[in-house]
Amino acid sequence: MDARFVGIADLTQAPSVAVVVDVMRAFTVAAWAFAQGAEKIVLAESLEDAQALKVRHPTWAALKDGAPAPGFDMVNSPGLLRSVDLDGRTVVQKTTAGTAGALAVKEASLVLCAGFVVAEATARLLRTRSGDRVTFVVTGEDGRADEDLACAQYIARRATGEETDAAAFLRRAAASRAAAELTQGVRRGAHPDDVALCLELDRFPFAMVAALEGSLMVLRPCAAP
């Protein structure tokens, strides 16, 4: 597999296959939303778009980064989300990095959204596209977030079928700036368990595929082959 690792700003054209990585916390949260019963996740372009979707669809659940805010039901925290019943519901998600990364590659033939919690399922799905060049989008810190790069590199190795010890990659993520900010309470809308939940390797058995459905970019769980 021919893999490259880029930040959102480095994307100059639509890749064939894109894996958008946001470990702390967008796509860990997305995986938890599906585990809590969500049917699909709509990735919003802006907070205003997310609020407008919520107004048009009152039964949808909207979530965002940071502190709770009017018009939003939840914040972007796996520790807080794990106790929410989302059975059959649609979630609207807007985050600083993860959702922006997915929307930046919406024209790709295959878009996967990933974190450590769905790493192996994502790698298995990539093995079915072994002849394609895969672009890993490192969303955090303008492409420099080590938790996202570590996860992307781990998935890339597993996608080749290579036996890879995850411990070193998880240690890098645990030592990242994002992990420190969450642990120290710098980021609002967080739970004390967020870092640990983001580092649970292969917690869920599904990959997550995003695709355009009409005018909306929609994320759905996908059973890995």
Side-chain angles (χ1 to χ4, degrees):
M1 184 185 72
D2 180 12
R4 66 174 184 140
F5 305 88
V6 302
I8 297 172
D10 301 317
L11 292 162
T12 56
Q13 58 185 12
S16 174
V17 176
V19 181
V20 187
V21 182
D22 189 329
V23 173
M24 296 184 188
R25 296 165 283 174
F27 298 137
T28 301
V29 165
W32 269 99
F34 290 129
Q36 294 301 105
E39 177 186 350
K40 63 184 179 183
I41 297 174
V42 176
L43 305 178
E45 293 267 6
S46 66
L47 293 175
E48 293 75 17
D49 287 345
Q51 289 174 313
L53 285 166
K54 173 70 176 178
V55 169
R56 290 202 300 272
H57 305 277
T59 62
W60 289 10
L63 69 86
K64 60 177 279 294
D65 277 336
F72 289 88
D73 304 277
M74 301 169 292
V75 294
N76 192 47
S77 162
L80 296 171
L81 190 72
R82 62 184 168 175
S83 62
V84 178
D85 181 5
L86 295 171
D87 189 36
R89 296 185 73 183
T90 294
V91 173
V92 180
Q93 185 181 34
K94 171 65 180 86
T95 69
T96 304
T99 57
L103 288 162
V105 293
K106 61 185 178 183
E107 303 297 336
S109 62
L110 175 64
V111 179
L112 302 176
C113 295
F116 281 110
V117 292
V118 293
E120 186 60 29
T122 304
R124 288 203 304 271
L125 191 52
L126 286 174
R127 285 176 210 149
T128 68
R129 305 289 293 261
S130 58
D132 288 308
R133 185 178 194 186
V134 178
T135 296
F136 288 86
V137 183
V138 179
T139 61
E141 297 178 35
D142 297 321
R144 297 186 299 273
D146 201 38
E147 75 280 3
D148 293 340
L149 181 58
C151 183
Q153 291 170 336
Y154 175 73
I155 292 171
R157 291 194 186 187
R158 291 297 301 133
T160 66
E162 179 181 343
E163 287 297 327
T164 304
D165 184 0
F169 298 93
L170 291 167
R171 281 196 298 271
R172 284 170 54 193
S176 68
R177 175 181 170 183
E181 289 180 351
L182 285 168
T183 300
Q184 295 163 8
V186 173
R187 298 190 181 189
R188 302 182 70 188
H191 185 279
D193 293 342
D194 278 356
V195 172
L197 291 171
C198 290
L199 300 180
E200 283 192 316
L201 185 66
D202 303 329
R203 171 69 187 251
F204 303 112
F206 51 81
M208 299 187 293
V209 179
L212 285 169
E213 298 185 14
S215 62
L216 300 177
M217 190 67 164
V218 177
L219 185 65
R220 295 181 184 272
C222 175

